Amino acid sequence: MSLTNDQFKFLKKELESMKASIENRTSTPEGEMSEIRGDIARGVDNHLAETASEYEDRVKSQTINEADEQRLSEINEALERMEEGTYGICVDTGKEIPYERLEALPYAKRTTEAQEQAEEPFADSSEEDRAVGLHHAQLDRDTETTRELEREQDADQHSGEADADHHYDDKTDEQSNQ
C-alpha cells in the first residue's frame, strides 16, 4: 500500500515546515557568536561565574545547533527522496515504510525493524557511542524539551529581576519618605 497523493502532500508540507523552522532558528549571525567567543577568550568579564555561565550556555547552544544540523540534513535527504520517487521506501530493505511511521517521523528512511538493526551495533558500545544510535524522534523531543526549559528559565530569570527591581524601588521609596 503506497502513499496516497494527499498523504504525500501532507508529509511534504510537514518536511518543508520543519526545514523552515530549523533554518529560522539557526540563522544566528556568525559575528555574534565570534564576539561571545572573543569576550570569553580575552577574559573581558572579570567574574569567573559569569564566564562559566556564558561557556555553559555556548556549549548548550552548540549542542542544540548540531542536533538541528543533523535533523536538517535528514529532512533534505527526505525531500530529495521525494523528488527521486523513492520516499517512503526503506533504504536498507526496500520495503515500504508504514504511513504511521512517516507521519510521526517524516524524514524516516528505514522501517522500524531496519532502524533497530541499524542501531544494534551500538547496543554493546560505550554509553557515548549508544547516544549516537538513539532514535531521532527521541532526540527531537529532547531538543524541543530543552528549548522549552530554556524559555521557562529565561522567563523566570526576567521575572525574578523585575521582582528584585520592584523590591529595590519600594525600599528606596521607604527610605526617601523617612
Side-chain angles (χ1 to χ4, degrees):
M1 178 182 114
S2 59
L3 297 173
T4 67
N5 197 27
D6 287 341
Q7 290 172 332
F8 186 84
K9 286 180 183 178
F10 171 77
L11 293 170
K12 185 171 185 173
K13 188 174 181 179
E14 284 292 304
L15 287 166
E16 289 170 345
S17 173
M18 293 169 84
K19 180 179 179 176
S21 175
I22 292 170
E23 288 175 342
N24 287 338
R25 264 196 317 265
T26 59
S27 63
T28 302
E30 284 299 315
E32 188 176 314
M33 283 303 284
S34 297
E35 278 181 37
I36 292 170
R37 252 181 263 138
D39 288 350
I40 292 172
R42 285 189 303 272
V44 169
D45 187 17
N46 292 331
H47 196 276
L48 185 60
E50 286 183 32
T51 303
S53 178
E54 284 179 18
Y55 176 76
E56 181 182 346
D57 290 345
R58 185 169 48 120
V59 169
K60 191 184 322 178
S61 178
Q62 286 175 338
T63 303
I64 291 171
N65 287 341
E66 287 172 10
D68 281 345
E69 286 175 24
Q70 176 64 33
R71 190 169 38 254
L72 185 59
S73 173
E74 292 175 354
I75 290 168
N76 285 330
E77 287 176 22
L79 289 168
E80 286 176 23
R81 287 192 305 276
M82 284 183 158
E83 293 296 318
E84 296 168 356
T86 59
Y87 179 78
I89 299 171
C90 180
V91 296
D92 292 340
T93 64
K95 294 180 181 178
E96 287 186 12
I97 301 171
Y99 175 72
E100 292 76 20
R101 177 163 170 75
L102 292 171
E103 189 175 31
L105 194 66
Y107 49 86
K109 59 183 171 184
R110 294 182 177 92
T111 61
T112 305
E113 297 80 17
Q115 186 66 40
E116 287 172 0
Q117 283 185 337
E119 293 173 0
E120 201 169 278
F122 297 107
D124 296 330
S125 331
S126 70
E127 187 152 329
E128 284 181 44
D129 291 341
R130 275 197 303 276
V132 174
L134 290 174
H135 288 283
H136 294 293
Q138 182 63 41
L139 284 174
D140 289 345
R141 285 192 296 275
D142 290 349
T143 302
E144 194 55 41
T145 300
T146 301
R147 283 194 188 95
E148 289 172 15
L149 287 172
E150 286 176 345
R151 285 192 289 268
E152 287 176 19
Q153 288 172 345
D154 286 345
D156 288 346
Q157 182 179 5
H158 292 300
S159 170
E161 289 171 1
D163 290 345
D165 288 345
H166 181 69
H167 181 70
Y168 176 76
D169 290 343
D170 289 345
K171 289 277 187 195
T172 306
D173 290 342
E174 286 175 20
Q175 291 172 354
S176 64
N177 288 336
Q178 292 178 357

